[in-house]
Amino acid sequence: DLCREQGCELLVALYPRLGRRGDGLVSDEAYARVARFRAQEGIEAFDLSPVFVDQPVEEFWVHPLDQHPDARAHALVAEALAERLEA
């Protein structure tokens, strides 16, 4: 509502959790719930899951004991976001 009042664009970037569940990513189910909420509220989102879905996600972890995204993962996300914002 605040963005609408101010005339600015709101874009939610959905950064996936880099783990596998079946053929998808661990965050796919949660993002489906977010999609329903977004649709109700008219909020645009940019799902970054396609950046990683066909990748060996374990290679983008900081360490096997620290599954946070590493610098390469952040670079891929930055590139995808830049392309989206430029479009």
Side-chain angles (χ1 to χ4, degrees), residues 11-76:
L11 175 68
V12 175
L14 299 171
Y15 202 128
R17 182 155 174 237
L18 300 181
R20 291 269 172 224
R21 180 173 290 144
D23 291 336
L25 298 174
V26 173
S27 49
D28 289 350
E29 185 178 322
Y31 286 178
R33 288 192 302 265
V34 170
R36 289 191 294 275
F37 173 78
R38 286 187 317 94
Q40 292 172 347
E41 298 296 321
I43 299 170
E44 186 179 358
F46 184 57
D47 185 358
L48 293 154
S49 298
V51 171
F52 298 101
V53 77
D54 293 327
Q55 301 277 351
V57 293
E58 309 79 26
E59 293 181 12
F60 293 100
W61 293 344
V62 170
H63 184 274
L65 298 176
D66 182 355
Q67 298 175 4
H68 286 91
D70 66 8
R72 293 172 305 131
H74 290 305
L76 289 173

